[in-house]
């Protein structure tokens, strides 16, 4: 019997998925996902990654654009961008299944030097394309490797590198390549984003973030918006609101506790901004989200 990527992902998620459907592998940055029912919206600030869908379908929205992808498609995200996603088609008999690999800028930089020069584009940070056969084949060999734990330390680096190679050589290559330039504006913005992710609860000035990125404030503001679709302060606000929502859902904090935990000084301001982002004030949104979780369970 010939093993397929669908078989391998299904088998691994059945054995290792947690209550949220996430099955982390022993290979850093490689994760598989499983869902047995359509979901509500999940809000996040995504990192650069590629997701190969092997069963079911999903929708991701970013900056007013919605991308729908299903079995045989790959979702590419080349920057830290805010997304709202939901599972569209999934059931107990045919769950939604996907494999996600975090993109490694250092590996991309090494490969870019070795590969034939190709144009670098300023493509949109979120794209959906059919999965290249070579990428799917490399992904299958990675999944076979995780089932042989003793071999992982020896072989993981070269297989992860090979998957990055096929991504660069395929239809996503031009968009991914820009992640490999240390002095390019994408990597410079990424340095500032790392500070925002780590310190979002405290006041951060554009001047400070621009200095981290090695840019003038005006140039930084322009490039930051071009890469992430948001201004630096809008990005920080969304980080705060997404984390506040997570705290209310996972730890049962009330809106006031969540607001102060993520850096807000005014609960009314938090409530207003929360409602604009999530479509409902915190109390009503929590009730709706918990009802949806109970229905799915």
């Amino acid at each position: 019997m010939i093993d397929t990527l669908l078989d391998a992902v299904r088998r691994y998620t059945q054995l290792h998925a947690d209550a949220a459907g996430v099955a982390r592998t022993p290979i850093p940055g490689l994760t598989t996902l499983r869902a047995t029912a359509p979901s509500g919206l999940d809000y996040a600030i995504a990192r650069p990654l590629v997701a190969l869908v092997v069963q079911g379908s999903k929708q991701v929205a970013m900056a007013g654009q919605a991308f729908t992808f299903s079995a045989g498609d790959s979702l590419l995200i080349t920057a830290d961008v805010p997304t709202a996603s939901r599972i569209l088609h999934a059931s107990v008999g045919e769950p939604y299944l996907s494999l996600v690999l975090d993109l490694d800028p250092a590996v991309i930089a090494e490969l870019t030097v070795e590969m034939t020069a190709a144009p670098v584009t300023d493509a949109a940070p979120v794209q959906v394309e059919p999965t290249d056969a070579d990428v799917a084949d490399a992904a299958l060999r990675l999944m076979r490797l995780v089932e042989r734990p003793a071999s992982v330390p020896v072989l993981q680096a070269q297989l992860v590198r090979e998957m990055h190679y096929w991504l660069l050589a395929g239809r996503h290559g031009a968009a991914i390549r820009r992640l490999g330039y240390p002095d390019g504006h994408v990597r410079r913005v990424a340095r500032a984003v790392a500070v925002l992710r780590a310190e979002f609860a405290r006041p951060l000035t554009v001047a400070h973030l621009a200095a981290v990125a090695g840019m003038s404030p005006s140039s930084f503001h322009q490039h930051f918006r071009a890469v992430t679709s948001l201004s630096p302060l809008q990005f920080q606000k969304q980080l705060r609101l997404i984390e506040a929502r997570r705290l209310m859902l996972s730890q049962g904090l009330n809106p006031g506790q969540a607001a102060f935990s993520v850096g807000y000084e005014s609960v009314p301001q938090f409530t207003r901004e929360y409602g604009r982002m999530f479509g409902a004030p915190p109390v009503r949104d929590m009730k709706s989200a918990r009802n949806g979780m109970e229905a799915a369970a």
Side-chain angles (χ1 to χ4, degrees):
M1 177 178 168
I2 298 175
D3 200 19
T4 67
L5 184 56
L6 171 59
D7 295 328
V9 173
R10 180 193 291 119
R11 188 165 57 244
Y12 193 81
T13 56
Q14 285 176 338
L15 291 173
H16 301 286
D18 60 19
V22 178
R24 304 190 187 282
T25 77
I27 298 175
L30 182 70
T31 306
T32 60
L33 305 175
R34 182 175 187 267
T36 57
S39 72
L41 286 172
D42 178 41
Y43 297 87
I45 302 288
R47 299 180 186 275
L49 58 81
V50 63
L52 281 59
V53 180
V54 295
Q55 188 165 270
S57 65
K58 189 173 185 177
Q59 185 179 77
V60 170
M62 188 279 300
Q65 289 183 291
F67 303 84
T68 300
F69 47 102
S70 55
D73 290 333
S74 292
L75 168 74
L76 176 72
I77 298 179
T78 57
D80 297 70
V81 291
T83 61
S85 62
R86 58 184 178 131
I87 305 295
L88 296 178
H89 295 102
S91 66
V92 174
E94 291 191 358
Y96 169 84
L97 297 168
S98 67
L99 176 148
V100 179
L101 177 69
D102 293 341
L103 296 174
D104 188 331
V107 173
I108 293 168
E110 291 175 6
L111 288 169
T112 299
V113 171
E114 298 176 26
M115 296 171 70
T116 303
V120 177
T121 70
D122 284 326
V126 178
Q127 300 178 32
V128 172
E129 297 281 358
T131 302
D132 289 318
D134 290 321
V135 171
D137 181 62
L140 174 57
R141 282 182 283 115
L142 277 170
M143 291 307 302
R144 287 173 176 162
L145 180 64
V146 301
E147 294 180 326
R148 305 176 69 178
S151 303
V152 169
V154 179
L155 298 176
Q156 65 174 354
Q158 67 192 61
L159 285 179
V160 168
R161 190 174 190 273
E162 183 185 346
M163 187 159 172
H164 278 75
Y165 171 84
W166 290 119
L167 286 165
L168 281 164
R171 66 189 80 216
H172 287 311
I176 293 174
R177 193 167 278 104
R178 64 182 188 163
L179 289 170
Y181 290 92
D183 291 325
H185 61 262
V186 173
R187 291 283 294 277
R188 290 188 178 201
V189 167
R191 294 202 292 268
V193 167
V195 172
L196 279 165
R197 283 185 178 274
E199 304 178 29
F200 64 84
R202 75 179 187 87
L204 292 168
T205 66
V206 171
H208 172 67
L209 294 170
V212 170
M215 299 180 181
S216 69
S218 60
S219 177
F220 170 72
H221 197 282
Q222 175 188 347
H223 287 304
F224 192 98
R225 183 179 286 277
V227 170
T228 69
S229 78
L230 298 171
S231 72
L233 297 182
Q234 287 172 330
F235 192 96
Q236 182 183 34
K237 181 191 298 183
Q238 292 208 10
L239 276 172
R240 287 178 169 181
L241 292 170
I242 289 169
E243 175 62 9
R245 190 174 192 267
R246 187 193 69 79
L247 291 171
M248 288 187 288
L249 274 174
S250 65
Q251 299 183 23
L253 270 61
N254 64 42
Q257 292 170 322
F260 294 129
S261 293
V262 300
Y264 275 87
E265 297 179 357
S266 165
V267 175
Q269 179 187 1
F270 167 75
T271 300
R272 287 193 304 272
E273 294 180 352
Y274 188 102
R276 282 197 290 268
M277 180 167 177
F278 298 117
V283 172
R284 193 181 344 143
D285 181 50
M286 286 300 99
K287 183 178 180 179
S288 176
R290 292 192 175 103
N291 287 342
M293 292 166 64
E294 290 172 4

